[in-house]
């Protein structure tokens, strides 16, 4: 660390990137999948039909259903369907048996066109990838802490990487393919620079999302240790009138959507809460859908009187710092993104994943060169190799395993959703064992080939186990189902190509590996 | 400095460990104190100042970590964190005291 600023930054970039690289790879990949959370859920729960629908009609159906099935409940919660999430979800809470306790919740999924109950297969759908992305399947709050720490390391690695790689724009136009280690480094730099704004945004925003958890000192100092007071001030709860105790007739809810839209200058309602639905003092809270603009506003809501329809209160406008934090949240989540922008998010996420992956490969590749002649690798390099293989190709196989489990596990099986998740971790664990047994390239090639096979065969499996195969979905224009199948096919073909390249590079690399090149690399690459 | 790990003396390894600790713990301390100072002194409503302080703190953390690895020695890394910590703590403490 005596060599000067850029060398020091290169050292920091190398080691921070290595230690957290495997975890960050998994976080980036699952986060990228989470941009298509609803689409993945739709594929994994094909029983719920995707149709064009109107919020008003759906809401009327939901109100009708709840009046029949949950008239005595203390609270109704209605999640309106949108183009991406076709299910109309209704929940209701019974009045608690003893005051002060929480009443029991019931949840039903309705067909937004007919109002009939739909029974989807038990699955966590895309929600699994979304949750894993920041909770890492750990108990609260450890997973969130670990992923936020990883985000901070990512931030450090990004900035130190930019400093290291000073000729950022000149180098961007130099890609030297088929040059082994040099191509990996060029690729690492190219994907890093190409989507650099995305990387900076996604990394910094992930810190902002969990800032109240990881950096609470200023809350405690400003509010004299009373964190609740801060949350009450920043996320104001809607004040709702108490129960009158007299019965009242709930007005139709659907017209409220139009009035909310006027209040929000065109904004959509995402969900509704009806408090004390049968009471004269019933109140309706309309929460704004996060998908209609970039700036996310927690708890932006309107409260109406449920019987008279009078507007009771509206949450105040966001102050500027909250709007800035809200826009980082909104940019990270990408709820506002339409199909084209959503694909762009997905591609940027993949580029980030690829940047981390190539970085890990470069770290090992440079150090392996020294041991190429003797053929014996020291333990620490072997460890990195096993982790590289399992964390990258093994993870791909594990993702495929979730989708296979979703189609193969019996619909009526108890604990079905859990077993989908278990199959992910079982397969991932097996990939570690496989990488330990199989050395180097053989491990890569075999796992990539398996991933290729599993992904390419997914559309076929879907066709064999459900009536929603590509022939039907393409004809009907169901682009969610068809897009999922086609993306799997595309990923499978990519993995097949990668496996083939790995296989060939391995054969060629044994014969010709000029010593001079490796020395040059030592000087050039960090 | 890579690839020669086995040949590195113990003192070097201790220095690296010291820098890592300085970066992780000392960096967090500076970041947290910076967020508190900002919150105390910014002419904004309380909640807004808190959010601004928290958002800025990660940039402070970043600079602190880079400093720990860019400076010449591990001692210097610690020194460069302790001085701003003391200053920030004094600034925040002053505001706290004035506020009472």
């Amino acid at each position: 660390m005596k060599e000067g600023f850029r060398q020091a930054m290169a050292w920091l970039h190398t080691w921070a990137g290595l230690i957290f690289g495997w975890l960050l790879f998994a976080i980036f990949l699952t986060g990228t999948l989470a941009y298509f959370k609803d689409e993945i859920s739709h594929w994994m729960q094909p029983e719920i039909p995707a149709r064009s629908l109107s919020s008003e009609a759906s809401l009327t159906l939901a109100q009708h259903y709840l009046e029949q099935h949950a008239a005595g409940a203390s609270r109704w919660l209605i999640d309106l369907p949108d183009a991406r999430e076709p299910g109309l979800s209704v929940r209701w809470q019974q009045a608690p048996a003893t005051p002060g306790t929480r009443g029991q919740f019931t949840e039903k999924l309705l067909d937004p066109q007919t109002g009939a109950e739909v029974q989807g297969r038990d699955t966590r759908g895309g929600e699994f990838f979304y949750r894993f992305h920041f909770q890492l399947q750990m108990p609260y709050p450890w997973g969130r802490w670990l992923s936020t720490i990883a985000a901070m390391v990512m931030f450090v690695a990004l900035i130190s990487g930019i400093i290291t790689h000073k000729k950022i724009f000149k180098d961007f136009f130099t890609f030297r393919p088929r040059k082994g280690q040099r191509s990996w480094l060029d690729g690492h730099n190219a994907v890093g620079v190409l989507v650099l704004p995305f990387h900076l945004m996604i990394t910094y925003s992930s810190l902002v999302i969990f800032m109240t958890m990881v950096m609470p000192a200023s809350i405690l100092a400003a509010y004299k240790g009373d964190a609740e007071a801060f949350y009450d001030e920043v996320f104001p709860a809607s004040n709702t009138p108490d129960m009158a105790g007299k019965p009242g007739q709930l007005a139709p809810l659907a017209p409220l959507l139009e009035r909310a839209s006027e209040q929000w200058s065109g904004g959509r309602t995402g969900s509704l809460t009806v408090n004390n639905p049968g009471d004269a003092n019933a109140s309706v809270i309309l929460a704004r859908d996060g998908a209609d603009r970039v700036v996310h506003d927690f708890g932006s809501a309107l409260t109406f009187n449920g019987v008279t329809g009078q507007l009771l209160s509206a949450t105040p406008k966001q102050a500027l710092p909250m709007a800035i934090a809200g826009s980082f949240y909104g940019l990270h989540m990408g709820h506002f993104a339409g199909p084209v922008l959503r694909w762009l998010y997905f591609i940027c996420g993949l580029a980030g994943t690829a940047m981390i992956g190539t970085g890990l490969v470069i770290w090992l590749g440079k150090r392996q060169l020294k041991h190429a002649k003797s053929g014996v690798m020291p333990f620490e390099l072997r460890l990195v190799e096993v982790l590289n293989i399992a964390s990258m190709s093994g993870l791909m196989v594990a993702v495929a395993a979730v989708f296979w489990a979703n189609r193969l596990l019996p619909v009526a099986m108890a604990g079905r959703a859990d077993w989908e998740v278990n199959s992910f971790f079982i397969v991932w664990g097996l990939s570690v064992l496989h990488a330990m047994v199989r050395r180097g390239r053989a491990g890569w090639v075999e796992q990539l080939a398996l991933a290729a096979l599993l992904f390419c065969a997914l559309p076929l499996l879907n066709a064999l186990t459900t009536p929603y195969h590509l022939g039907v979905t393409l004809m009907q224009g169901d682009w969610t189902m068809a897009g999922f199948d086609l993306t799997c096919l595309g990923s499978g073909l990519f993995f097949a190509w990668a496996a083939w390249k790995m296989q060939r590079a391995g054969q060629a690399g044994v014969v010709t590996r000029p010593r001079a090149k490796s020395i040059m690399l030592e000087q050039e690459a960090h | 400095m890579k690839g020669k790990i086995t040949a590195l003396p113990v003192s070097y390894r201790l220095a690296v460990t010291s820098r890592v600790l300085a970066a992780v713990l000392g960096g967090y301390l500076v970041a947290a104190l910076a967020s508190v100072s900002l919150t105390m002194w910014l002419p904004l409503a309380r909640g807004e100042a808190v959010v601004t302080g928290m958002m800025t703190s990660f940039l402070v953390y970043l600079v602190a970590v880079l400093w720990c690895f860019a400076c010449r020695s591990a001692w210097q890394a610690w020194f460069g964190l302790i001085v701003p910590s003391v200053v920030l703590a004094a600034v925040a403490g002053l505001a706290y005291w004035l506020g009472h």
Side-chain angles (χ1 to χ4, degrees), chain A residues 1 3 11 204 214 218 367, chain B residues 1-2 28 39 47 55 57:
Chain A
M1 263 177 269
E3 297 93 330
W11 184 92
Y204 180 67
V214 296
S218 55
R367 284 154 190 81
Chain B
M1 68 189 68
K2 298 163 297 301
Y28 184 85
T39 302
M55 283 198 289
S57 68

Side-chain angles (χ1 to χ4, degrees), chain A residues 58-375:
Chain A
S58 306
L59 182 55
T60 309
L61 288 170
Q63 185 178 7
H64 190 67
Y65 178 92
L66 285 166
E67 275 167 353
Q68 286 187 336
H69 293 85
S74 67
R75 205 144 62 107
W76 296 347
L77 296 128
I78 304 166
D79 273 331
L80 291 177
D82 58 38
R84 293 184 60 220
E85 212 178 351
L88 168 65
S89 141
V90 294
R91 284 173 293 164
W92 62 90
Q93 189 177 25
Q94 297 300 338
T98 50
T101 56
R102 278 169 68 90
Q104 203 197 341
F105 264 109
T106 318
E107 180 168 10
K108 292 283 180 213
L109 217 48
L110 307 182
D111 183 326
Q113 273 194 340
T114 63
E117 283 178 29
V118 260
Q119 203 67 55
R121 60 183 69 197
D122 185 20
T123 179
R124 291 186 55 203
E127 188 76 8
F128 166 64
F129 298 113
Y130 172 66
R131 293 275 156 193
F132 181 84
H133 167 65
F134 62 94
Q135 292 178 332
L136 306 170
Q137 203 72 9
M138 288 181 183
Y140 179 85
W142 303 112
R144 289 174 185 222
W145 267 96
L146 184 56
S147 56
T148 312
I149 291 168
M152 190 66 219
V153 174
M154 180 79 194
F155 199 25
V156 169
L158 266 181
I159 303 297
S160 58
I162 294 169
I163 297 169
T164 308
H165 182 60
K166 65 169 181 196
K167 290 178 285 182
I168 213 158
F169 291 104
K170 192 178 150 217
D171 268 16
F172 178 65
F173 296 101
T174 39
F175 180 68
R176 287 152 282 189
R178 296 192 203 90
K179 290 273 194 316
Q181 190 69 7
R182 187 68 242 188
S183 307
W184 283 103
L185 187 60
D186 285 348
H188 181 69
N189 293 340
V191 283
V193 175
L194 183 63
V195 288
L196 187 61
F198 172 80
H199 288 139
L200 291 171
M201 176 279 285
I202 212 75
T203 309
Y204 180 67
S205 60
S206 59
L207 295 168
V208 171
I209 288 171
F210 285 129
M211 64 185 177
T212 54
M213 181 185 74
V214 296
M215 204 49 90
S218 55
I219 302 177
L220 299 175
Y223 289 81
K224 315 267 185 284
D226 183 12
E228 287 303 313
F230 166 74
Y231 292 115
D232 289 346
E233 204 174 299
V234 178
F235 312 120
S238 303
N239 296 318
T240 53
D242 291 331
M243 248 175 109
K246 295 179 295 203
Q249 178 59 41
L250 193 66
L253 297 175
L256 296 180
L257 295 179
E258 185 61 42
R259 292 180 54 198
S261 187
E262 279 165 23
Q263 288 279 330
W264 287 326
S265 46
R268 264 190 86 241
T269 304
S271 63
L272 294 93
T273 309
V274 183
N275 292 307
N276 312 313
D279 192 77
N281 258 356
S283 58
V284 187
I285 303 170
L286 278 73
R288 189 165 176 180
D289 190 351
D292 57 11
R293 68 220 154 116
V294 177
V295 183
H296 190 86
D297 187 356
F298 290 98
S300 172
L302 297 169
T303 310
F304 292 94
N305 182 309
V307 177
T308 63
Q310 181 200 355
L311 178 64
L312 296 177
S313 67
T315 47
K317 262 183 102 91
Q318 264 177 321
L320 184 65
M322 280 70 160
I324 294 172
S327 31
F328 276 116
Y329 183 97
L331 281 170
H332 189 104
M333 297 292 185
H335 287 315
F336 64 92
V340 175
L341 199 52
R342 188 159 295 280
W343 272 102
L344 195 62
Y345 259 115
F346 186 74
I347 291 165
C348 287
L350 288 182
T353 316
M355 178 182 69
I356 297 164
T358 49
L360 287 168
V361 170
I362 292 168
W363 189 96
L364 184 62
K366 260 164 56 186
R367 284 154 190 81
Q368 262 179 333
L369 286 177
K370 289 199 194 74
H371 305 277
K373 270 194 176 155
S374 63

Side-chain angles (χ1 to χ4, degrees), chain A residues 342-503:
Chain A
R342 188 159 295 280
W343 272 102
L344 195 62
Y345 259 115
F346 186 74
I347 291 165
C348 287
L350 288 182
T353 316
M355 178 182 69
I356 297 164
T358 49
L360 287 168
V361 170
I362 292 168
W363 189 96
L364 184 62
K366 260 164 56 186
R367 284 154 190 81
Q368 262 179 333
L369 286 177
K370 289 199 194 74
H371 305 277
K373 270 194 176 155
S374 63
V376 186
M377 269 217 283
F379 171 75
E380 61 267 18
L381 293 193
R382 180 74 190 123
L383 177 72
V384 169
E385 183 178 72
V386 168
L387 289 173
N388 272 3
I389 295 173
S391 72
M392 290 188 243
S393 55
L395 179 63
M396 310 294 183
V397 178
V399 169
V402 177
F403 300 140
W404 276 76
N406 177 265
R407 286 298 188 259
L408 290 180
L409 293 177
V411 172
M413 180 181 173
R416 193 178 179 287
D418 290 338
W419 274 104
E420 284 181 12
V421 174
N422 291 348
S423 56
F424 176 84
F425 288 103
I426 291 169
V427 170
W428 206 2
L430 287 175
S431 80
V432 179
L433 289 181
H434 175 262
M436 281 159 71
V437 177
R438 302 289 288 168
R439 303 222 144 229
R441 276 182 195 279
W444 274 111
V445 172
E446 285 163 14
Q447 293 201 8
L448 283 172
L450 180 61
L453 188 72
L454 289 177
F455 274 107
C456 282
L458 261 176
L460 191 66
L461 178 72
N462 184 33
L464 291 173
T465 51
T466 72
Y468 315 99
H469 57 83
L470 271 176
V472 175
T473 51
L474 281 177
M475 288 299 284
Q476 286 178 347
D478 182 352
W479 283 106
T480 313
M481 285 299 266
F484 185 98
D485 276 351
L486 290 174
T487 308
C488 283
L489 193 61
S491 322
L493 291 175
F494 171 75
F495 293 135
W497 173 80
W500 177 70
K501 281 295 262 194
M502 271 286 187
Q503 174 91 21

